[in-house]
Amino acid sequence: MDEQTTRNLPSDLFIGGRWVEGSAGERFDVLNPADQTQLASVASATVEDAIAAVDAAESAFSDWAERTPRERGEVLRRAWELIMADKERFARLITLENGKPLSDARAEVAYAAEFFRWYSEEAVRNRGEVMHSPASGARILVQHKPAGIAVLVTPWNFPIAMGTRKIGPALAAGCPVVVKPASATPLTMLALMSVLEEAGVPAGVVNVVPSRSSGKIVDALLHDPRVRVISFTGSTEVGRTLLKSAADNVVNPAMELGGNAPFIVCEDADIDKAVEGAILAKMRNIGEACTAANRFFVHEAVHDAFADKLSARMGAMKMGNGLEEGVEVGSLVNADTRNKVAELVEDAVGRGAKVLTGGKMPEGPGYFYPPTVLTNVSPDSRCVAEEIFGPVAAIQAFADEDEMIALANATEYGLVGYLFVGDMKRGLAISERLEYGMVGLNRGLVSDPAAPFGGVKQSGIGREGSHEGLMEFLETQYISLDW
């Protein structure tokens, strides 16, 4: 265990600016997925604790909302500075509770902190408008007001970034929040609270309630009439359930849900560039990302060259404990995730897929699975329809562009697609035909705090990042007046 990182680590609930035990006195263990050792015992919130967090947020709301946008922005700017000053500790903590390699964790910390810097600048851009009604002659004044208390439900795959991507715009808009982090990885979010305190976030503006009873407490929060926004990142299945609960009180939903990203390589693509893009799109976070490339469609003219080069690159990646020097592939987060990846590979092989590299679960402790490349993948394989959420690239060859686009769109998901092509005019034309909220054109990474992150179809509602992310936490008010 990394004792320097875990020493004095907060493990209670954070409500109203104080560390408190759960009202039922229950706790749950957080384990290091690389070796199953215990990192901490964390307080498990009850419904009563969650409502206490809403009480604290309600008490803090007026003061925070009435502060000038510049004041709120300066607090966020200071939070960015403090995270970056302590980035190595945060990165090591992420690796310990999540399993990802330290290189990935360091990148996540920088990405997470950038949301605070971005929204420190967006806080002052809450613009309205005044216009003269062409019909009535009245003046129309439009302004955007803080929506109210926001519930933020974050996943385990990016323990800090998915939190700051929500906390940043909420605080910039003037909204207090109740954060429910994933029970597998609550430690990084709890550690962030000392940073926010030092940055000047008042007590009650940010509250954190980890819990093993996630469904119960989130449902209770959504049925509290004081809660006006629910921002969730996670599976489409859970998202549907939360949308049903949100409907009861007409709570404004912002949902970033599942993905099944196609990765398309056309015959005129730069193959070396496409392989490097595939490594980013597939192996970032060990494939445990909704943005991960899931289905590879490679033109038959370049299929073998691409598959061989990708197999060589992935097969050479060092696997091991994420804290060890040179490790590029850490442990998956838990046994269920690892076992599902293994099942999907076995299913594909059973339907005729060929394994170019990897494909066998290693023995020993930890939830490891090797980087795997499959070719000759049957369209009816489970890995074509389901998110793999692991380091497996499943390749299918194509000959006809229209058929390939139809296959790429043949999914209920629509988060992100990747396209590598030589002719940029053709690339833009194909991109516009792809039914996805985001497209990486000759690029294997689309996540950017300045860009509107989100999907279409059953991959979500709303956008995070950019100015649009701020608007998710604001309500529009129109005043009609004569003067």
Side-chain angles (χ1 to χ4, degrees):
M1 182 181 293
D2 189 331
E3 293 184 3
Q4 185 174 355
T5 302
T6 56
R7 187 182 300 123
N8 299 322
L9 204 60
S11 59
D12 287 334
L13 313 179
F14 189 72
I15 299 175
R18 297 188 303 113
W19 295 105
V20 297
E21 294 185 3
S23 57
E26 297 178 353
R27 305 186 75 83
F28 61 91
D29 293 339
V30 178
L31 305 179
N32 181 343
D35 57 17
Q36 287 95 58
T37 57
Q38 181 180 334
L39 296 172
S41 175
V42 174
S44 185
T46 64
V47 167
E48 291 74 21
D49 297 322
I51 299 306
V54 176
D55 293 339
E58 182 182 35
S59 296
F61 182 24
S62 295
D63 175 70
W64 183 247
E66 290 169 5
R67 294 197 183 194
T68 65
R70 179 68 72 195
E71 286 181 277
R72 296 196 297 266
E74 288 300 318
V75 170
L76 289 170
R77 173 76 185 197
R78 179 61 177 152
W80 168 74
E81 294 171 348
L82 291 169
I83 293 174
M84 295 307 292
D86 203 15
K87 59 185 177 183
E88 187 66 14
R89 182 177 70 91
F90 276 108
R92 297 183 75 85
L93 181 54
I94 290 169
T95 293
L96 282 169
E97 67 172 344
N98 171 272
K100 69 179 67 178
L102 196 53
S103 57
D104 266 354
R106 287 170 177 151
E108 181 186 343
V109 173
Y111 175 58
E114 188 63 22
F115 282 104
F116 283 165
R117 179 161 65 165
W118 173 260
Y119 283 108
S120 75
E121 298 163 347
E122 284 298 300
V124 301
R125 298 189 176 93
N126 178 5
R127 301 186 182 96
E129 63 177 344
V130 177
M131 63 179 290
H132 195 172
S133 171
S136 70
R139 294 302 194 274
I140 297 173
L141 185 152
V142 179
Q143 61 181 345
H144 307 291
K145 302 170 64 176
I149 298 170
V151 171
L152 315 179
V153 183
T154 62
W156 51 259
N157 55 344
F158 291 92
I160 189 171
M162 297 302 94
T164 59
R165 192 163 77 178
K166 300 175 188 300
I167 294 170
L171 267 57
C175 296
V177 302
V178 176
V179 184
K180 171 37 195 83
S183 56
T185 58
L187 301 177
T188 310
M189 183 54 58
L190 291 171
L192 181 64
M193 293 306 101
S194 62
V195 165
L196 296 183
E197 278 191 300
E198 186 175 349
V201 175
V205 171
V206 179
N207 307 275
V208 184
V209 286
S211 179
R212 276 293 192 191
S213 301
S214 301
K216 288 182 180 179
I217 73 166
V218 175
D219 186 70
L221 289 169
L222 290 177
H223 286 91
D224 188 311
R226 296 170 294 178
V227 170
R228 300 313 311 144
V229 178
I230 169 67
S231 179
F232 169 73
T233 297
S235 72
T236 295
E237 180 182 9
V238 175
R240 293 188 191 113
T241 299
L242 295 184
L243 282 169
K244 290 175 183 176
S245 293
D248 290 339
N249 275 342
V250 196
V251 176
N252 183 43
M255 298 275 162
E256 195 272 283
L257 307 177
N260 190 2
F263 189 101
I264 301 163
V265 183
C266 295
E267 70 276 14
D268 62 340
D270 180 326
I271 298 304
D272 290 332
K273 186 174 182 179
V275 168
E276 292 308 309
I279 293 295
L280 265 177
K282 177 74 264 182
M283 294 305 296
R284 177 175 177 245
N285 214 54
I286 332 173
E288 294 177 309
C290 54
T291 56
N294 211 57
R295 299 167 296 143
F296 285 74
F297 300 101
V298 183
H299 193 278
E300 60 184 15
V302 294
H303 174 276
D304 290 351
F306 175 84
D308 289 345
K309 289 187 175 185
L310 180 62
S311 178
R313 283 282 280 109
M314 288 178 62
M317 299 179 81
K318 181 180 178 181
M319 184 171 66
N321 188 309
L323 292 178
E324 294 176 5
E325 189 67 32
V327 166
E328 299 172 275
V329 183
S331 168
L332 298 177
V333 72
N334 55 36
D336 287 345
T337 301
R338 188 265 318 271
N339 293 342
K340 180 184 177 182
V341 172
E343 289 170 7
L344 292 177
V345 171
E346 291 170 6
D347 173 78
V349 171
R351 298 175 191 271
K354 179 182 178 182
V355 180
L356 296 190
T357 190
K360 291 184 178 180
M361 194 179 344
E363 296 180 356
Y367 306 119
F368 294 95
Y369 197 88
T372 299
V373 176
L374 306 175
T375 57
N376 196 38
V377 174
S378 171
D380 62 357
S381 298
R382 285 178 56 196
C383 64
V384 173
E386 302 176 32
E387 275 192 286
I388 298 171
F389 242 63
V392 178
I395 302 176
Q396 302 174 65
F398 76 89
D400 181 82
E401 181 176 300
D402 290 336
E403 290 181 2
M404 174 272 293
I405 293 173
L407 287 171
N409 289 336
T411 173
E412 66 182 10
Y413 301 105
L415 185 61
V416 59
Y418 302 92
L419 170 64
F420 281 76
V421 62
D423 182 347
M424 288 301 288
K425 182 177 179 181
R426 178 189 180 196
L428 287 170
I430 294 175
S431 295
E432 291 184 356
R433 295 177 65 189
L434 294 175
E435 297 170 356
Y436 293 87
M438 302 176 288
V439 176
L441 180 52
N442 288 340
R443 183 173 170 81
L445 181 67
V446 296
S447 300
D448 190 318
F453 186 103
V456 299
K457 298 194 286 188
Q458 296 201 38
S459 282
I461 299 172
R463 293 295 182 268
E464 294 187 307
S466 77
H467 185 72
E468 291 184 46
L470 178 69
M471 298 306 294
E472 298 289 347
F473 297 92
L474 294 168
E475 294 282 9
T476 299
Q477 182 185 54
Y478 142 59
I479 300 173
S480 178
L481 68 153
D482 289 324
W483 60 27

